[in-house]
Amino acid sequence: MTVVKDGAGRYFASFVVEVAERPLPPVESETGIDLGLSAFAVLSDGRKIDSPRFLRRADKKLKRLQRALSRTAKGSNNRAKARLAVARQPLDGRTGSTPVERG
């Protein structure tokens, strides 16, 4: 078990579990998925899945917080608060991944 503390003061625990391998049941039909730019995914039956907009919002928020951080004076209390606000955001706004998901 590994416990990690990030820059925002949050703790994350990771552990490994060994599980016996079980084969999956046979599948009767197959589905193709095309990942693209205009639509997040297009399935083989023609259904389109739209791009998740929350990623763009998270990216814009991170950008705004980083600008606010860069405008503060080094060593000030406001800079410490701004640094924590940036640290609380997911590190990669495009994927929305958190330290737990990245491993």
Side-chain angles (χ1 to χ4, degrees):
M1 182 167 171
T2 305
V3 179
V4 178
K5 182 180 178 183
D6 70 354
R10 299 175 293 195
Y11 288 93
F12 296 95
S14 62
F15 52 92
V16 178
V17 178
E18 291 187 29
V19 180
E21 191 173 319
R22 288 181 275 156
L24 296 173
V27 179
E28 297 174 10
S29 64
E30 295 179 359
T31 301
I33 301 173
D34 179 29
L35 301 176
L37 298 175
S38 60
F40 179 66
V42 179
L43 304 180
S44 58
D45 61 0
R47 287 188 294 156
K48 289 185 178 182
I49 300 171
D50 291 332
S51 298
R53 298 288 178 202
F54 67 88
L55 296 177
R56 288 204 179 114
R57 283 195 304 268
D59 213 13
K60 285 181 181 179
K61 184 175 182 181
L62 180 60
K63 189 176 176 181
R64 180 178 50 81
L65 291 171
Q66 286 175 331
R67 274 198 313 264
L69 174 63
S70 70
R71 292 181 180 135
T72 58
K74 288 188 178 181
S76 68
N77 286 337
N78 283 337
R79 185 175 182 91
K81 288 187 274 187
R83 187 193 61 79
L84 283 175
V86 169
R88 282 188 202 104
Q89 297 304 307
L91 294 179
D92 189 354
R94 288 175 200 82
T95 62
S97 65
T98 61
V100 173
E101 294 168 351
R102 282 192 306 275

